[in-house]
Structure formats: C-alpha cells, structure tokens
Amino acid sequence: MLSSSRTSPDTPRQSLLPACLTLLLGALLALGTPAVAAHTAARDGDGWTVRQPGGRHDGVAAVVRLDAADGTVTLAARRGGTTVLEAAPVGIVTDDADLTSGLRPVSRTTRQVAERYTMTTGKQLHRTVRMTETRFSFTGRGGARLDLLVRVSDDGIAYRYVLPGSGDVTVEREASAFRLPDSARAWLAPYTPNYERVYEPSGAADAADGSYAYPALFQVGGTYALLTESDVDGRYAASRLVHEKGSGHYAVRLADPAVTSTGPLATPWRTAVIGDLATVTESTLVDDLAPASRIADTSWIRPGKVAWSWLDGFANAQRSLAVQQRFVDYAAAHGWPYALVDDGWKTTDWMPRLIEYARERGVGVLLWVHYTDLDTAAERAEFLPRVKKWGAAGLKIDFMDSDSQERFRWYDEILRDTAREKLLVNFHGATLPKGIQRTWPHVMTLEAVYGAEYGNVPATGLTTLPYTRNVVGSMDYTPMAFQFGTRTVSDAAELALSVVYESGFQNFAGSIRAYRDRPELERFLEQVPTVWDESRLLSGRPGEGAAFARRHGERWFLGGVRSGPAGTQEVPLDFLGGGRWLAETVRDGDDGLVRDRRVVTRHDTLSVPVAAHGGFAGLVCREVPGRDTCDRPVARLPLTELTVRPARTEVDAGASVDVTGRFGVEEFGPAADVALSVRAPEGWTVQGGDPRAEELPTGHDLTGDWAVSVPRDAEHGNHDLVVTAEYRSPDRPGTGVLRVERTVRVFVSPPGVDYVSNLPFAAESNGWGPVERDLSNGERDAADGGPLSIRGTEYAKGLGMHAVGEVVVELDGTHRRFAATVGVDDEVGGRGGVVFEVLADGAAVATTEVLRGTDAARHLEVDVTGVRRLTLRVTDGGDGVDFDHADWADARLLT
C-alpha cells in the first residue's frame, strides 16, 4: 500500500477572517498567537470554502462560517451552484468545556491528502484517494482548544473534531447536524441498533419525528447527498440522525449519554457523499476516510460464495450433519468456496468431522456464534484457537445490537483476535460499515439491513438499497431464498442481486432443490465473483430500479432489478472498450430462466425483456472466434448423495434389522472406484455383501442390502449402524478417496416398557406445529424437529412439545407407573420457560416449578395404577411462549 500527503504553501493569513475580526486577529498575533496558513480554503463572504484545487464548475465544496456575534460555527456544502447541505451547526460539549459557541479563531492550515490502497472486498479493489483537508483551530471560553477538520473530495465532504489535549476527556454531546433544504426528497430508515428496517421515501421536512439510521439519502434537484459516518472504533460511540417534522434539520445524536476517551481525541468523520446517483453508488469515500489496514499480510483472506442452509430448515438443519454435508457437497460440485453452519451446531459434537469432510472437498466451513460467547478475553482465548485448530475458515458473529462505545471496544478486540487466528468475519445483528473493511480487511461482510431472512422485502425496498445501505460497504442481504417467505421479485431479479448487491461473502440462501430447479441460475452463480475491480451504475432511481455493470478481470457482469410492471430494460454498453464483445443475458421466460446471446460493441444498447418486479443478469466478454459463451471452467466434484433406510428403527433384543444403502451420482459424474459397506457394534452380525462399481456415471446409483442381527444380550438404548460410501473423482484426482457416512439409529427396547411416543394419542394440542414423537419441536411441520436434548444429554425416546400444549393417552388401567425426564430443549439456547404437569383422569398428580432453558432436567415419576386417561401438559412460565420448547424425554409407562 502506498500512502503520502503534502501540505500546501501558505497564503495571506488575513483571508481567514471576516473584516470585523481583522483587528482582533492583529492583536492576538502581537501576543504570539500562531500564524494562519491558508490555501484552497478561500474566503467566501463571511466564511471559507474548502474545495479541491482546480475544482470543476460542478465540483463539491464545503463552506465553514463563524458568527462573529456569538462565536458559533456552521458548515454547509454545495455542488456547483446548488446548495445541497444548508448551514448547520458544528461543535462539541465535553465535561470541561462547551465548544459550541464563544469560539475564536486561532489558525487554519490546508493540506492535500493523496493515498493509494488495496481492498480485499468491495466495489473497487484498487483505490486512489485525493482530498483537500483544512484544519480550523479555535479556542473557546476558558482557553479550551477545538480543531475542526474538513475534508473535501470529488465525491463528498466530511468533518471531524480533534480535541488536542492529553488525559481523559468526556464528550457529553455534539452540536453536529446536517440541514437539507425543506423541499429535498428523502429515503429514510427508522433507526434500530441492528439497522434492520425498510427504507421509505418522504420529504426531508415532512419525515416524522424520530431517529433515523445512516446512511440517509436526500435529493436536491439533480444532486444527491448520502449522510453517514466513518472511522468509528472504541474511542467513541456511533451516532444516528434525529429529526423533528417541519424542517430539513437532522441532528447527530450519540448512542451513549457520554463518551470517555484518552486525548488527544479525534471523533468519527461526519460524512456526506455528494453527486449524481452514479457518483453516490460508486463512491468509496467512507473507506477513504478510514484508517489504513492493520493487517500486513492479507494473503490468507479469500472472499467468496457461501452455501447457507438456514432458510432451508433453520436450527434443525444446522443440527444435522447429513444436511450440512449435503450443502458442502453442493458447494464442491459448483465451485463455491464456503459453507456456513448457523445457530444450532453448538449442541452437536460433529463439527470437527464436518470441517474435515469439507476440507477434503476444497470447501471452507464458516461457523455462527453469538457475540456473548466471545465478549470476554478468556472466552476468545479458548474458542478462537479451538475452532481454528478444527480448521474453520471464519465466523459469523451475531446479535451485537448496539452502537455504544462499549460495543465498539468489543469490535476492536474481536477483530484483533480473529485476525491473529486468521479467521474471516461476517457480522450479523451488527452496526453499519463505517470503514471497517479497510481497517480490518478480514471482515467480509456485515448485515445491517432488512434482508431476505425477513421473507417479505418489497421490490421498492430492494431497489433502494443500492443507493443507500450498500453504498457504504458490503451488505449481507442473503439472496436466492426461493423456498422461503413471500416472493416479491421474479427469479431473474433475484439472480441479479448477485451483481447488484456487493458483499465479500455472498451468503446464498436457497435450498438445493430450488437451485437445481433453475439450471441457468446455477450456471450464472458458478461464474459470478464476489469482489470487483470496477463498478458502474448504468441506470435507475431509488425505489424504482437499479442496473449495474461490475468488472472482474476482463469480464463484465451485469445485474438489473426493477420495481413495477413488465417492460424492456435498456442497457447502455458504453462502459466497454473498443472492439466486439459477446453478451449473454439471463432473463425470465415463460417456463423459467432463459439465456440470450449476441455480439455487441460499446455503441450498442441491450434491450432485455423483464417481468413485473423483474430484472436480468448478464455476462460480457471479448468476442473470440469459436467462443459461444463467456463461462470459464469450474473446478467441481461430482454431486452425490448417500441415503439409508431406515434412518431410525426400534427393535427387541435378539431381533434383526434390514438396512439398505443407496449411493447415487446426481450431477457432474462419473464417480470412480465406488464401494459401499456397513459397520455394526461389536457382537452384532451383518449378512450381505459390500457392493462395488468401477465407475458410476451421472444418473446411476449403487445399492447395498444387509441384514443385521441384534444379540439377545444387547444393551437397551441407542446403537448405530454406519453405512459408508467411498469413491474417487476422476476429474479431481488430487482429492484422493472421498468418504461419506450415514447412520441408522437402532433403539433396542427394554421389556415391560411402553414409550408414550409409540402410543396413539387420544387428543393433542401444541403451541407451534404438531407434537413430535422422539424429536424436539420443530414449530412447523411433522418430523421437522431435532434430537431431544436437555443440558447436553440426548434422548432417543420422548415427546417434543411447545407451550401451551398437551397430549392425552388412554391407559385403561393397564399400567403401573409413569416416568419421564423433563426440561427445555437445548435448541433454544438457554431461553424459554415452561411448567410441566401430569394429570391422571383429570387430576394433577405432578407439577414442576418453572423450568428455564438454563435449568437442569427434572425427573418425574408417578403412580398410575388404575388410571384410565393420562394427560401430559406444558404451560408457559408466565413470560409468554417464546422459545418454550418442552421435552418429555424418555417418557415411558411401566406395566
């Protein structure tokens, strides 16, 4: 990285001041006050204008004014002849001084900031920075010092305060504000600490009273201003905008009542990206203002596409090794470098096996973790090296949900520690990017958006994000969730988001079935990268549409999404170089996605038919004789699947189990040297051969059948039969022998016991979804739960319920005792609160206290002699039914 700066020559110091203060300045200078240097910050009436040297007639400028009467300072911004930001107050209040009025000028210096740096993520990897910076130095009442730094670039302005003293300083508030013309248009999102609200249009003055999140977009004539902040870390807190209806005034409000730091203190940059829509969307100003990278060697940092299974099964999918291996297999078959396992995996013990399984297939595994699991140095010192030793590639860290100084100090610590372990980071439930990806280039993306996981993002919201949230840094929207929520845009528009939205990790949220149902989508996603050498806005307006061209190497990728009726998207190609190019576009057709091809030049315009709330994706490369596609080869493994029957069964000791294993090649075959086998516990016997195949082409499978005998003295409880498939990939010989295993869970029943989960229910009700037999509550469909687990112990038998609910079974007086182990299932992560009740013929015979997700399991045992009807009931603990997953583990009746 190259970095340099230079200070401009001095110009006459009297140009700093209004005429009414010239005599005062002369007196101060006679007393030894430092001399004033000025250049490029010219006197403008009663203020000073900061602009780029040799600025264009339509260039951006900041105007600083000092009111001689009360010593207040304001800042405004204009572009050409248009005032974009009207004069708004600047200043700061500490516990020692009020530096919002009574200010007197001391000096002014100007320098040119020139830098080059390289990113690991973003809309443009190689960046060049040119800014003019003017430092205005003031003293306040009592001699307190305040420096106001103002920077101006071609794409905006920014200012910050510097308190140059040493020792601790406590900031109580800022006077900082932005003032838009009352008539300006606005696109605003109500503020929440996780920035997960939809942007809505309004007028700058007409917006309702309340707090609004950065970035906030405003339109003044043909110019746009995007308000945000940069360079926030543990020295300070983040802020938000506070507005009172009736004016264009938006005050800056800190997240904390007060912020304490050790001086000298430089506050974050209050930032406005200013220009036309192309300038705003292509701007890197927020990163340009941030500190340089704190990681010297970035060679280990690798952005990429991610297979994310959360929206295809939620926590239950995360607890299933087979499901996660399936997503790893899909990633390996399509050249995606990562798979993400979300909330739920920590209740399992198979993560090291999954990571090794993925490593053999060239896929890195990313792990979800709650930030409270890493909020102390001791937790980080234990957890981070452990998952790195397993081979994890990175972390998705969730639920920070705060913009406080304390939380930013935590960001400083976790970023330092993850960088040391060479773990990539994705922040969810997080603050907004404020230059963090320049300073810590292992941050691949941040959520801070009302994204696809909500399942109902309107098309108008989708088409506003490119001009707002995504301008300031990578945005983990998680597109491609075709199987989830309410579809608000077409398939082609959803595919286009892989280009329209920038994110170092693109966490694609589709199910494998949804992908395979859309082969043109699969094909495009194989090719599209997640980082860009160059980005261009081609057309669009907030809330209406956005079309982008982004270059990676020699290829351009196109993406367009629209809100509104069907029509034709006109795509100008003047961003291309000279000569002939091959353009491929993917659009909505009558029976799914279709691909069109044509040869074009930079003078052409593509006309792409688009559906209602539709869009398109495209790929453009140099036209070469004989080339009929811009696709490049993908390093892939065969997509295979191993299934076993039965997945679970229950037998008596001395009986036998018939097991079938089927290994199939679904895509990208063949698989070679395929072998199937079964492994049984010691003392169990297996009959049946182990089938083999020298080669299995796509669409073929290999099946094995075995009869497994259970010894008469087999222990009661769970036993595993493990079916293994081994194979090689002829196209990837370096991968060696690949293995996949599936387990048949065999429960050996004790004599004289009837499990409630095996009995018919006379009646049942449940708070969410059906009552589950031998599974936890999945909240939606039958058999969508995970293993029954209470405080780390799994149970083979039992009922999974959700408050408020109950199950009734008819006993007809045939049983002697009822017993169960009860508690809140581990899947809710320590939350929830439930009361368990046992009723015999309508009379309560056992009731627990409120059991919460952190409580140990309780054992219940009651006499049911002569009882005809047994009721098992769960109620909430008085705090509502959220997370009330209640397990009746090992629920059994003794005869």
Side-chain angles (χ1 to χ4, degrees):
M1 298 185 183
L2 301 176
S3 177
S4 64
S5 64
R6 64 181 185 273
T7 302
S8 63
D10 293 350
T11 54
R13 55 180 173 261
Q14 62 262 34
S15 64
L16 171 66
L17 297 177
C20 62
L21 294 180
T22 301
L23 293 176
L24 173 62
L25 175 62
L28 291 172
L29 291 175
L31 295 174
T33 304
V36 177
H39 184 68
T40 324
R43 180 176 174 180
D44 181 15
D46 59 348
W48 306 273
T49 300
V50 184
R51 59 165 59 93
Q52 289 283 66
R56 305 177 326 221
H57 72 281
D58 61 346
V60 176
V63 180
V64 177
R65 287 187 169 86
L66 174 68
D67 188 309
D70 59 10
T72 58
V73 178
T74 61
L75 186 143
R78 63 178 184 242
R79 178 176 177 245
T82 300
T83 297
V84 182
L85 299 176
E86 297 178 348
V90 296
I92 195 167
V93 177
T94 74
D95 57 346
D96 288 331
D98 184 342
L99 296 167
T100 63
S101 62
L103 297 176
R104 294 177 298 147
V106 175
S107 65
R108 172 170 58 90
T109 59
T110 294
R111 70 183 185 118
Q112 298 305 121
V113 177
E115 297 177 310
R116 292 194 182 107
Y117 66 95
T118 299
M119 296 284 287
T120 59
T121 57
K123 64 187 84 173
Q124 181 182 336
L125 289 181
H126 301 287
R127 314 270 180 94
T128 298
V129 181
R130 295 185 181 89
M131 290 186 279
T132 298
E133 177 188 282
T134 297
R135 179 185 292 257
F136 298 89
S137 294
F138 301 95
T139 57
R141 298 180 184 93
R145 172 81 175 270
L146 172 68
D147 288 356
L148 172 66
L149 269 65
V150 178
R151 285 190 178 182
V152 174
S153 68
D154 290 339
D155 56 348
I157 67 153
Y159 69 90
R160 77 188 323 171
Y161 310 113
V162 176
L163 302 176
S166 60
D168 287 348
V169 57
T170 297
V171 175
E172 295 179 348
R173 67 179 177 87
E174 293 184 20
S176 312
F178 298 96
R179 186 179 184 96
L180 284 302
D182 290 354
S183 60
R185 295 190 65 192
W187 290 266
L188 302 170
Y191 173 79
T192 63
N194 58 19
Y195 296 84
E196 295 178 31
R197 292 294 183 271
V198 176
Y199 278 86
E200 298 286 355
S202 69
D206 296 336
D209 294 352
S211 295
Y212 292 94
Y214 298 124
L217 180 66
F218 298 88
Q219 180 184 2
V220 182
T223 297
Y224 293 79
L226 186 75
L227 307 183
T228 188
E229 60 185 351
S230 179
D231 190 15
V232 186
D233 58 21
R235 297 168 298 169
Y236 216 69
S239 66
R240 60 188 181 273
L241 298 172
V242 176
H243 178 249
E244 292 184 7
K245 186 174 182 179
S247 81
H249 185 272
Y250 287 79
V252 173
R253 181 77 52 82
L254 299 182
D256 290 328
V259 174
T260 299
S261 288
T262 300
L265 171 65
T267 69
W269 292 101
R270 307 285 162 235
T271 306
V273 181
I274 297 173
D276 57 20
L277 282 178
T279 299
V280 170
T281 56
E282 296 164 22
S283 171
T284 61
L285 181 59
V286 172
D287 290 332
D288 296 345
L289 293 163
S293 172
R294 294 179 184 171
I295 300 176
D297 175 19
T298 61
S299 60
W300 57 275
I301 298 173
R302 187 167 63 116
K305 293 163 284 196
V306 184
W308 185 50
S309 58
W310 177 260
L311 295 184
D312 187 35
F314 304 100
N316 292 325
Q318 316 312 302
R319 287 191 291 267
S320 169
L321 175 59
V323 169
Q324 295 309 315
Q325 287 177 331
R326 178 72 168 158
F327 275 85
V328 166
D329 289 341
Y330 186 85
H334 290 272
W336 298 5
Y338 297 105
L340 167 60
V341 190
D342 216 282
D343 184 14
W345 70 268
K346 287 188 291 181
T347 63
T348 71
D349 61 0
W350 43 252
M351 185 52 69
R353 283 188 287 151
L354 176 66
I355 292 174
E356 176 62 18
Y357 180 92
R359 185 196 63 77
E360 293 173 347
R361 289 156 174 80
V363 175
V365 173
L366 309 169
L367 303 178
W368 179 95
V369 62
H370 198 290
Y371 110 91
T372 56
D373 295 330
L374 298 172
D375 62 348
T376 69
E379 289 170 336
R380 294 191 294 273
E382 188 282 327
F383 181 83
L384 298 180
R386 173 160 54 94
V387 299
K388 185 63 178 181
K389 185 177 180 181
W390 291 350
L395 302 176
K396 173 184 174 180
I397 310 175
D398 209 344
F399 293 113
M400 283 69 69
D401 292 338
S402 173
D403 270 330
S404 68
Q405 182 183 24
E406 177 188 14
R407 194 70 78 247
F408 275 92
R409 286 174 174 162
W410 174 85
Y411 279 114
D412 294 343
E413 293 164 355
I414 192 66
L415 288 168
R416 176 200 63 209
D417 294 347
T418 49
R420 183 179 59 245
E421 297 295 338
K422 295 186 176 179
L423 290 165
L424 304 175
V425 174
N426 169 9
F427 285 123
H428 259 236
T431 191
L432 195 73
K434 304 171 191 291
I436 193 173
Q437 290 177 280
R438 178 184 180 187
T439 308
W440 295 104
H442 65 308
V443 177
M444 295 290 95
T445 191
L446 301 90
E447 184 187 26
V449 66
Y450 190 90
E453 67 181 19
Y454 282 95
N456 61 355
V457 184
T460 52
L462 287 172
T463 52
T464 301
L465 292 174
Y467 308 99
T468 52
R469 162 62 183 87
N470 208 191
V471 171
V472 299
S474 290
M475 179 179 75
D476 192 12
Y477 177 84
T478 65
M480 311 304 152
F482 299 97
Q483 76 287 350
F484 173 74
T486 301
R487 296 301 310 285
T488 59
V489 295
S490 73
D491 282 9
E494 191 75 27
L495 177 60
L497 299 183
S498 65
V499 177
V500 174
Y501 292 166
E502 181 275 314
S503 184
F505 278 159
Q506 282 284 17
N507 286 294
F508 295 140
S511 68
I512 292 173
R513 174 176 291 182
Y515 296 139
R516 296 189 67 196
D517 285 345
R518 298 165 173 84
E520 286 294 349
L521 176 136
E522 286 187 301
R523 179 178 169 184
F524 188 84
L525 292 183
E526 287 181 347
Q527 298 295 317
V528 68
T530 67
V531 294
W532 307 102
D533 295 306
E534 187 178 355
S535 294
R536 301 280 188 89
L537 177 68
L538 302 181
S539 64
R541 285 177 52 83
E544 299 176 10
F548 281 85
R550 300 192 193 269
R551 181 176 62 82
H552 183 87
E554 297 178 350
R555 296 190 296 174
W556 285 91
F557 290 80
L558 310 178
V561 59
R562 300 201 328 181
S563 170
T568 300
Q569 177 77 54
E570 302 293 334
V571 185
L573 299 176
D574 53 1
F575 58 88
L576 296 174
R580 290 159 60 87
W581 297 76
L582 175 63
E584 299 180 79
T585 54
V586 181
R587 60 177 175 82
D588 295 297
D590 293 338
D591 297 311
L593 295 172
V594 296
R595 181 176 293 244
D596 300 320
R597 295 178 181 84
R598 62 177 286 194
V599 175
V600 298
T601 72
R602 67 186 312 272
H603 304 293
D604 291 325
T605 297
L606 284 178
S607 296
V608 184
V610 295
H613 300 312
F616 72 97
L619 179 53
V620 183
C621 62
R622 284 285 182 184
E623 194 253 347
V624 175
R627 173 185 286 174
D628 62 357
T629 179
C630 293
D631 288 356
R632 291 180 177 171
V634 175
R636 62 171 95 248
L637 291 175
L639 180 61
T640 65
E641 186 170 26
L642 173 63
T643 57
V644 295
R645 294 195 316 269
R648 317 158 46 121
T649 189
E650 190 171 339
V651 299
D652 296 328
S656 65
V657 179
D658 291 330
V659 174
T660 296
R662 176 192 169 277
F663 178 81
V665 179
E666 299 177 317
E667 289 183 294
F668 314 125
D673 302 328
V674 183
L676 290 177
S677 61
V678 65
R679 185 173 69 251
E682 186 177 354
W684 297 41
T685 59
V686 179
Q687 294 180 320
D690 295 340
R692 295 179 175 274
E694 193 171 308
E695 186 174 277
L696 278 183
T698 297
H700 290 66
D701 59 65
L702 181 67
T703 301
D705 294 293
W706 302 272
V708 182
S709 298
V710 182
R712 292 189 179 278
D713 59 352
E715 234 181 276
H716 305 139
N718 278 332
H719 301 266
D720 289 341
L721 306 175
V722 180
V723 178
T724 301
E726 293 185 346
Y727 63 101
R728 295 178 182 270
S729 172
D731 295 333
R732 295 266 300 273
T735 57
V737 176
L738 299 172
R739 295 175 182 84
V740 59
E741 296 180 342
R742 294 290 176 262
T743 298
V744 176
R745 179 63 54 89
V746 179
F747 183 78
V748 179
S749 305
V753 175
D754 287 331
Y755 287 95
V756 176
S757 58
N758 293 344
L759 300 177
F761 298 159
E764 68 171 293
S765 62
N766 206 42
W768 288 93
V771 175
E772 295 284 9
R773 299 175 185 265
D774 304 328
L775 294 171
S776 65
N777 175 250
E779 295 196 359
R780 189 173 61 177
D781 301 319
D784 66 350
L788 295 161
S789 177
I790 307 173
R791 305 298 75 75
T793 300
E794 284 194 12
Y795 299 85
K797 304 292 293 180
L799 303 178
M801 297 175 66
H802 193 300
V804 174
E806 69 177 32
V807 162
V808 179
V809 292
E810 301 287 356
L811 303 186
D812 296 326
T814 57
H815 293 81
R816 182 171 51 86
R817 299 194 70 75
F818 166 78
T821 299
V822 300
V824 177
D825 196 275
D826 289 334
E827 65 193 359
V828 296
R831 294 165 289 191
V834 174
V835 174
F836 294 82
E837 299 179 43
V838 181
L839 292 82
D841 290 332
V845 292
T847 303
T848 69
E849 72 276 25
V850 177
L851 297 182
R852 305 199 179 277
T854 54
D855 291 333
R858 297 287 190 271
H859 181 71
L860 295 179
E861 189 163 347
V862 297
D863 188 343
V864 293
T865 303
V867 172
R868 303 190 63 80
R869 175 170 278 214
L870 179 72
T871 302
L872 306 180
R873 178 181 296 163
V874 293
T875 61
D876 73 84
D879 57 354
V881 298
D882 290 349
F883 306 107
D884 284 353
H885 289 211
D887 291 350
W888 296 87
D890 205 24
R892 61 198 183 278
L893 291 156
L894 310 178
T895 55

